[in-house]
Each structure stands twice: as C-alpha cells, then as structure tokens.
Amino acid sequence: MVLLWRIPLKILCELIVVDPYLLTGESYTVSFDEVDSNTYWFLKNTAEEVLGTDMLFPASEDYYSSLAFDKAPFYSIVNNITAGFIVSARGATFDAPTAALNAYATEDANDSTSIVYGGIDLSGDGTWAGFVENTPFLQLDIEFRFTNGGSVATYYNASVSVIDTILIPFEVWSAEEDRQINAAVYMAAGSKPIHVADEDNPGSYKFNKNFFIIPVYENYDGLGMSDYYSNTNMGWMIKFDKNNTSFESGNKFLVEFVNPLFSGVDVYTIDAVGASTTSGDSLESQVEAVNVFPNPYFGQNPEERNQLNRFIYFTNFGVGKATVRIFTISGDQIRVLEKTIDSENSSDRRLQWDLRNSFNIPVASGMYVAHLSMEDANGNSVGEKVMKLAVFMPEERLDVY
C-alpha cells in the first residue's frame, strides 16, 4: 500500500501507511506559513480543515547535510496518524541554493566520451544578475539536449561591448516545465565559435573555448537580446569542463538544483489512495491471497458472539467481484456466495459463510471444497482457486433449538 506525495523540490520523503483500512481515498495538502518568525506546517483536508500543525524544525540545508544519509532517520512532519498514514520527510530547506545538487548525463550516445560539468560562476551569487547587480535568483533544473541543428543563443563578449547571436550545439530546456527556453553565452576570453570536431573521437565534438551558458526563463524564439541588463529572466552562469568534455548529437545532460520552501506559497498534495493492481502477475497474486479462517473450524470462531451465529471467513479479497461456490466432498453444490469490492481503500475485504446450505440448514461436520472465481472491475476473469476446508460442528443442544 502506498501514498503519493507530489513534490517538485528535492525533499526525501516517506509516507508511512499505518493502517490501510483507514485510508479514505481523499486528498490532503501540506502547506507552510510563518508565525512570529517561526515556520509551521499545516496538514489540511479538502474542506480546508487543519488536521495537524507544528513547527518544522530543523529545516535548514546545513543541518541535514551534516547527517550521514544511511544513519539519519526520517523526521516526522505529521506525528499523529491521520486517516491511516503518517508523513515523514527530510531535506527541506528555507535557504536559497548556492550550487547545483547534481549534474549528470541522462542519455549518452557514445560510452567512450563524456560531458563534464564545470560548475557555476564563483563570483557574486553565481547568477548573471548577481554578476551584474548581485541580486538573488532561484533556479529550475536545466537540461542540455545536444542536437545536430543546435539552437541560437545571445552572445556577449568579455567586455559586453559585442552583443550578437551564436549557434550552440545544444538546446536548453527547463526540465521541470518541459519547455525549451532561450539562452545566452558569455565568453570571458576569445571569440566564437565555441565548438569544433573532436579529432580524437570521430563523430564527436568538443568545446574549444571557455564560456558560460546562461538560461533565460522564457519560451525559445531563437532571437538575440538587445542588451545584457533589461531581461529579468536570466539565471545561473553554468559552465562545462572544456578540456574533458566530448559530446555527440543525442546526448542529454541534466543539472539539478534545490530550491527552498516558500512560506505561504508552496503547497504539496497527498493522495491517500491504495496501490492499484493492473499487471497479470499482480492480479493472479490477488487470487492466491484469498484464504479461509478459521480452517479447520473446530466448533467455534473467536469472533462468534453466540451459538446461533456460527461462521467462517474467506479473507483478503481484491478489487472486483468474487464468487465462492461450496461443495461437499462428493461434489454436491450446497451454497453460492458473492462479494464485490469497488475500491482499493475498502475496509471490508472478507466474505462470511454462516455454515448453512442454500436451504438455511446448518451443514454437517466434514470436508468441503470451495471454488473461488474472480473478475476485475471491468468484468474480465482474473483467475480461479480451489480451497479445502474442514468443519467440525459441535453437538447441538436441545435448549438452543
């Protein structure tokens, strides 16, 4: 049983299902707000009712980075059991990022070559805006997609005396938004172009100049900008390792960042739904999971309340329709039972047999055969199973009947 928590940040989270029968199928939100200089979390349902709240402490990136990952426990955001689950998380931060979290190739057309990340500009705060005015900027994940046609970027030389366009061998994408965006190239020394054929690796290319690539968070149009200071969408100054990078068309390289939580802005959704079963193997396992309790039946069931209410359970039914046909050992059908479960979150997954035949007469002691057939929610056959059960009925008392 799982819960889904959609998080755009790089928070490490664990959603612990304590009691799957208490899951409601509802959605919940976790939001953050600042009260008297302290940041609190709020767990709410769809009716905006606050189900839990407390301080989120500690939350700084420095605190979590000091803990060994394999030893650091998950820190509970929601300590109380809510609708069958507990939410735990670590890695949340309210601090602005100062470096990339990860940088790696997601697709590589040639295993013998590699793209090597060179970091961000170390002057100011690492952003173009910081290089010019030292103003902060938050960063989305950037994916570089190397293609034969490349893309057109704005070009700045070292003194920013030349503002032109340049053909670069890759497209720049905002990974989390899945859109191609504009870019600018700032070259501290030298002149364009910035890449040439790699003679040591036929079919590959390499960078021949040191440069910074600046993502511009607006839809790609292939047009150059008129100046270097009026566009407020310019982001981090990212660079590659010129001496160790060799690339081919088809390569993709992702640079990931951790952005902080924003009080009163960030809201995360929890869907309290069970894990659906769709594959054939999983559906067959649902059939195998069905069992009988108690078996054998020795005159009583711990859940019985009186001698006139005897029964056993068929347990662990999945979503769909189940039909149980009960036969004597000689093959006579004595009872047909049905059970339909509409939701994975159903709390009633048992089918009760009152140990009576179709004429409402208590069955005799002996061996019985139960034939189970199951259909999924669409009426398709899931599978069948045969179970044997032994029934030992107690001696009937005349003062009861």
Side-chain angles (χ1 to χ4, degrees):
M1 192 71 68
V2 297
L3 294 177
L4 306 176
W5 191 6
R6 295 189 291 270
I7 304 181
L9 304 177
K10 308 303 185 295
I11 299 175
L12 302 174
C13 65
E14 184 177 30
L15 304 170
I16 306 168
V17 178
V18 179
D19 188 346
Y21 296 115
L22 294 180
L23 296 179
T24 63
E26 293 186 61
S27 294
Y28 303 86
T29 59
V30 176
S31 57
F32 307 88
D33 210 345
E34 192 170 292
V35 181
D36 297 329
S37 299
N38 293 317
T39 301
Y40 291 78
W41 54 260
F42 297 90
L43 176 68
K44 300 179 182 179
N45 58 17
T46 53
E48 290 295 308
E49 298 171 328
V50 177
L51 305 179
T53 182
D54 205 345
M55 290 180 61
L56 182 69
F57 179 82
S60 69
E61 188 175 9
D62 291 340
Y63 178 87
Y64 287 108
S65 63
S66 68
L67 300 174
F69 178 77
D70 58 342
K71 296 180 180 179
F74 281 89
Y75 295 91
S76 179
I77 288 181
V78 180
N79 296 302
N80 297 322
I81 299 174
T82 302
F85 65 88
I86 293 175
V87 180
S88 293
R90 62 180 288 267
T93 177
F94 294 96
D95 300 332
T98 57
L101 173 69
N102 292 305
Y104 55 93
T106 56
E107 292 186 24
D108 193 345
N110 187 344
D111 293 338
S112 64
T113 62
S114 61
I115 300 170
V116 181
Y117 177 64
I120 63 172
D121 179 59
L122 299 179
S123 64
D125 62 359
T127 71
W128 175 259
F131 186 80
V132 177
E133 299 177 355
N134 197 31
T135 55
F137 191 91
L138 299 179
Q139 178 76 358
L140 296 177
D141 295 349
I142 296 295
E143 185 175 63
F144 298 94
R145 301 183 182 181
F146 291 79
T147 63
N148 287 324
S151 62
V152 176
T154 301
Y155 170 81
Y156 302 113
N157 68 351
S159 61
V160 202
S161 60
V162 174
I163 301 177
D164 197 358
T165 59
I166 183 174
L167 180 65
I168 55 178
F170 49 78
E171 299 172 354
V172 180
W173 285 68
S174 174
E176 291 159 291
E177 299 174 309
D178 193 29
R179 63 166 177 155
Q180 185 179 359
I181 58 177
N182 281 329
V185 169
Y186 172 68
M187 191 173 295
S191 59
K192 56 183 180 177
I194 59 173
H195 70 291
V196 295
D198 187 350
E199 297 178 354
D200 297 329
N201 297 285
S204 300
Y205 296 84
K206 64 181 181 180
F207 295 120
N208 63 331
K209 304 287 175 55
N210 287 312
F211 65 93
F212 294 102
I213 185 73
I214 306 165
V216 183
Y217 290 95
E218 60 190 21
N219 291 332
Y220 176 74
D221 56 22
L223 303 176
M225 292 181 290
S226 59
D227 57 56
Y228 66 88
Y229 52 83
S230 61
N231 193 315
T232 59
N233 296 315
M234 301 175 73
W236 292 71
M237 297 175 65
I238 300 171
K239 60 184 178 181
F240 295 102
D241 185 334
K242 174 180 75 72
N243 297 326
N244 296 297
T245 292
S246 184
F247 57 88
E248 302 80 34
S249 176
N251 290 359
K252 293 183 180 180
F253 193 84
L254 181 65
V255 181
E256 296 180 316
F257 296 88
V258 176
N259 283 322
L261 293 166
F262 281 89
S263 299
V265 176
D266 288 322
V267 178
Y268 307 123
T269 302
I270 301 171
D271 294 329
V273 298
S276 60
T277 303
T278 56
S279 69
D281 291 342
S282 298
L283 290 171
E284 290 177 4
S285 68
Q286 283 192 354
V287 178
E288 293 303 316
V290 177
N291 214 329
V292 185
F293 174 81
N295 187 20
Y297 176 84
F298 282 115
Q300 64 176 356
N301 180 339
E303 296 192 35
E304 293 174 351
R305 294 295 178 263
N306 60 70
Q307 296 177 350
L308 296 178
N309 186 29
R310 303 187 190 280
F311 58 87
I312 64 173
Y313 282 118
F314 295 92
T315 62
N316 301 327
F317 289 100
V319 174
K321 179 181 178 181
T323 302
V324 178
R325 293 177 172 84
I326 302 173
F327 300 85
T328 64
I329 199 69
S330 60
D332 296 322
Q333 178 175 297
I334 61 171
R335 190 73 181 269
V336 177
L337 306 170
E338 292 184 346
K339 177 74 173 183
T340 300
I341 296 179
D342 298 321
S343 170
E344 190 74 27
N345 299 312
S346 174
S347 60
D348 181 14
R349 295 180 175 272
R350 304 187 297 181
L351 173 61
Q352 186 182 103
W353 179 33
D354 59 6
L355 298 177
R356 294 173 178 266
N357 62 22
S358 57
F359 298 102
N360 202 32
I361 298 175
V363 299
S365 298
M367 292 294 297
Y368 292 86
V369 176
H371 176 269
L372 166 68
S373 61
M374 292 187 63
E375 298 177 351
D376 63 18
N378 298 318
N380 301 314
S381 176
V382 172
E384 300 179 354
K385 180 180 182 179
V386 175
M387 296 168 284
K388 294 181 180 180
L389 55 146
V391 175
F392 298 91
M393 298 294 281
E395 183 179 355
E396 304 295 353
R397 295 172 52 185
L398 294 178
D399 60 347
V400 174
Y401 284 92

